[in-house]
Amino acid sequence: MLPLSLLRTAQNHPMLVELKNGETYNGHLVSCDNWMNINLREVICTSRDGDKFWRMPECYIRGSTIKYLRIPDEVIDMVKEETAVKNRGRENKGGRGGQNQRNRPAARGNFGGNRGAKGGNVGKFQKNKPKQ
Amino acid sequence: MATDLDSFVNHTVSIITSDGRNFIGTLKGFDQTINIILDESHERVYSTTTGVEQVMLGLHIIRGDNVAIVGLVDEDLDNRLNLSSIKAEPLNPVLH
């Protein structure tokens, strides 16, 4: 199981985030991304020594500043289902290579067809290029 | 190779973080940056006066940046430890 899948599953759950500087943030996870940047709602920030507190409605934390996240125990059981579904999907496809090979002849055919037609893909692509 | 950690998955591991803390728990997963999922974890707090104190923590994601050591725990040996009689200085944080 990947840590970031677990974090994604923990969306809408309460959690505690400790930063490298020792500050902790308690709040509900709104969203996260592949860099572990996170969005929290209804946050209580606690200073390093635990003697000062700040309440804030919302905050955004850069992933690289995080030391660890503490999440509710039950979240780990919710991830398992997701990964199981994903793996089943992969098995059905029969692997990347197999699918690509099957698609290749069709793709070649389409390409040839487009070239023959007036204003095919190649022409469109070149026209768009200078605009970008 | 990071994949060497594969053999530790679903086993009890001891993690030393760069701030000098020691977390024990079941390794449930990791990724290429050594972010770690630690389930049913607790922290062992070392002290020279009282014995080792165990703080129950639960489910954790530890960011790879802070992971210094991941060690496989010999559970039989670990269960035989009398933590209350072990006295030790806490580790210092890693100096960068």
Side-chain angles (χ1 to χ4, degrees), chain A residues 70-89:
Chain A
R70 200 176 153 188
I71 54 191
D73 290 348
E74 62 269 21
V75 176
I76 198 159
D77 301 319
M78 301 157 84
V79 188
K80 275 172 190 154
E81 295 157 25
E82 264 184 35
T83 52
V85 170
K86 246 185 221 165
N87 288 338
R88 235 180 285 145

Side-chain angles (χ1 to χ4, degrees), chain B residues 3-88:
Chain B
T3 48
D4 290 346
L5 266 183
D6 258 328
S7 58
F8 290 6
V9 169
N10 290 322
H11 289 81
T12 304
V13 292
S14 163
I15 295 182
I16 311 243
T17 52
S18 48
D19 57 357
R21 287 155 85 172
N22 182 197
F23 295 102
I24 316 280
T26 311
L27 180 68
K28 298 306 275 188
F30 64 93
D31 64 16
Q32 65 274 36
T33 64
I34 322 294
N35 293 325
I36 276 175
I37 304 176
L38 207 55
D39 196 13
E40 296 173 346
S41 66
H42 62 265
E43 184 181 350
R44 286 187 184 161
V45 185
Y46 294 86
S47 133
T48 48
T49 50
T50 61
V52 177
E53 193 188 329
Q54 297 208 79
V55 185
M56 298 314 294
L57 295 170
L59 181 58
H60 264 68
I61 298 174
I62 304 178
R63 194 173 160 91
D65 304 6
N66 312 293
V67 175
I69 299 175
V70 183
L72 190 60
V73 171
D74 180 337
E75 289 186 48
D76 291 336
L77 183 71
D78 197 64
N79 290 334
R80 287 204 300 275
L81 290 177
N82 181 10
L83 290 172
S84 57
S85 69
I86 296 176
K87 297 190 172 74

Side-chain angles (χ1 to χ4, degrees), chain A residues 2-131:
Chain A
L2 293 172
L4 288 166
S5 318
L6 178 63
L7 188 59
R8 232 172 284 126
T9 314
Q11 281 176 13
N12 301 317
H13 288 263
M15 63 175 55
L16 176 148
V17 182
E18 181 165 327
L19 303 191
K20 288 173 180 167
N21 66 14
E23 286 176 1
T24 59
Y25 289 76
N26 272 284
H28 281 72
L29 180 66
V30 177
S31 60
C32 60
D33 65 16
N34 285 338
W35 293 275
M36 213 186 268
N37 301 323
I38 57 172
N39 237 163
L40 295 178
R41 282 264 158 83
E42 303 297 321
V43 190
I44 298 171
C45 171
T46 308
S47 66
R48 192 188 166 82
D49 302 323
D51 55 352
K52 290 193 279 291
F53 306 90
W54 295 270
R55 277 194 61 212
M56 48 191 116
E58 193 174 347
C59 76
Y60 183 75
I61 299 173
R62 185 177 155 99
S64 65
T65 65
I66 294 171
K67 192 188 288 173
Y68 63 77
L69 308 115
R70 200 176 153 188
I71 54 191
D73 290 348
E74 62 269 21
V75 176
I76 198 159
D77 301 319
M78 301 157 84
V79 188
K80 275 172 190 154
E81 295 157 25
E82 264 184 35
T83 52
V85 170
K86 246 185 221 165
N87 288 338
R88 235 180 285 145
R90 263 181 220 148
E91 277 163 30
N92 288 344
K93 278 179 197 164
R96 275 192 210 167
Q99 206 189 20
N100 280 348
Q101 277 167 354
R102 247 177 280 140
N103 283 344
R104 224 173 258 155
R108 242 184 241 149
N110 289 341
F111 190 59
N114 283 341
R115 233 197 277 171
K118 220 180 176 183
N121 268 345
V122 177
K124 270 181 203 162
F125 180 62
Q126 282 169 340
K127 250 185 251 166
N128 285 341
K129 224 178 186 179
K131 279 179 200 164

